[in-house]
Amino acid sequence: MAESAGFPLAEPGLWVERIGDRSFPTGRPALFLDRDGTINIDTDYPSDPAEIVLRPQMLPVIETANQAGIPVVIVTNQSGIARGYFGWDAFARVNGRVLGLLGEQNALVDMVLACGYHEKGSGPLGIANHPMRKPNPGMLVEAGRQLGLDLGRSLIVGDKLADMEAGQRAGLARGWLVDGESSTIGGFSVSPLRDAHDVDDLLTAIRSL
Ligand SMILES: [Mg+2]
């Protein structure tokens, strides 16, 4: 992987970082997680680590995946990079804070992918409908390639329909939409993630992978 300015950039607008040293046999399903609005409260283009507050709902979800030997992969759109609101250095600090807060609760993430492309950007990041930007499936497919995942049994949790669409386009098994409604996207089943019962439903799905 090409390194740029010390950051794990696979290309100018794509961050791909393996976290920790947990290894997984090929053919495992993964738990894909959106970040802002799913793991942490969305504060609109967070660029300051001090802003980061976790949503407690996701802690048992990540811990359950950890215990089940399911790789946990963050896939996050970061159009603030393309828009010039902040740089990869700020992303690194904020994301480090997210991972640090999770780690304090024994919730471990195995890989992080972030897409900095957006049509409203300028220069090399100003690309419309980039294949790595959700709802396109590029980040999920790339993680699947690098970790040898079984995408067809993998799950995704997010707070936007674009997260669910990315899951559907990547051929995942199911999705959970934070504060959302039950729906089906092209045969892809989306479940709501609102209350404790919904979380239990997700934990059961992870344990039965
Ligand atoms: Mg989000």
Side-chain angles (χ1 to χ4, degrees):
M1 181 186 303
E3 295 277 334
S4 176
F7 298 131
L9 295 174
E11 51 182 276
L14 181 65
W15 177 290
V16 182
E17 182 180 16
R18 185 74 163 85
I19 311 287
D21 56 5
R22 287 153 37 94
S23 63
F24 303 92
T26 53
R28 293 296 287 158
L31 174 66
F32 288 98
L33 299 176
D34 170 55
R35 198 191 74 184
D36 302 332
T38 301
I39 294 175
N40 51 284
I41 294 171
D42 192 354
T43 51
D44 279 341
Y45 307 106
S47 60
D48 178 354
E51 292 176 64
I52 297 300
V53 176
L54 295 183
R55 296 181 64 257
Q57 194 179 49
M58 217 43 56
L59 291 167
V61 174
I62 296 174
E63 281 177 64
T64 297
N66 292 159
Q67 288 160 7
I70 305 293
V72 176
V73 180
I74 292 178
V75 283
T76 175
N77 281 350
Q78 293 290 322
S79 75
I81 306 266
R83 297 171 195 265
Y85 297 166
F86 54 89
W88 286 118
D89 54 342
F91 172 81
R93 288 192 293 274
V94 166
N95 204 61
R97 178 68 174 158
V98 172
L99 298 179
L101 289 170
L102 290 173
E104 287 173 10
Q105 307 287 327
N106 293 316
L108 305 178
V109 170
D110 299 294
M111 184 173 267
V112 174
L113 296 93
C115 174
Y117 296 107
H118 191 270
E119 60 190 349
K120 295 211 172 110
S122 57
L125 302 189
I127 296 175
N129 196 30
H130 193 281
M132 292 294 168
R133 179 173 166 80
K134 297 176 289 184
N136 289 323
M139 289 193 285
L140 289 70
V141 172
E142 178 61 18
R145 191 182 66 78
Q146 292 205 17
L147 294 174
L149 303 173
D150 182 350
L151 291 177
R153 288 195 298 138
S154 297
L155 312 176
I156 187 166
V157 183
D159 70 320
K160 294 202 170 133
L161 268 179
D163 300 313
M164 303 299 102
E165 290 173 21
Q168 186 263 333
R169 294 184 195 183
L172 267 49
R174 278 183 74 181
W176 277 260
L177 185 57
V178 172
D179 293 332
E181 306 284 338
S182 293
S183 66
T184 304
I185 306 171
F188 179 78
S189 168
V190 175
S191 299
L193 193 60
R194 291 184 296 238
D195 56 21
H197 174 271
D198 298 331
V199 173
D200 281 344
D201 175 46
L202 174 53
L203 298 184
T204 299
I206 292 169
R207 289 193 190 101
S208 54
L209 283 173

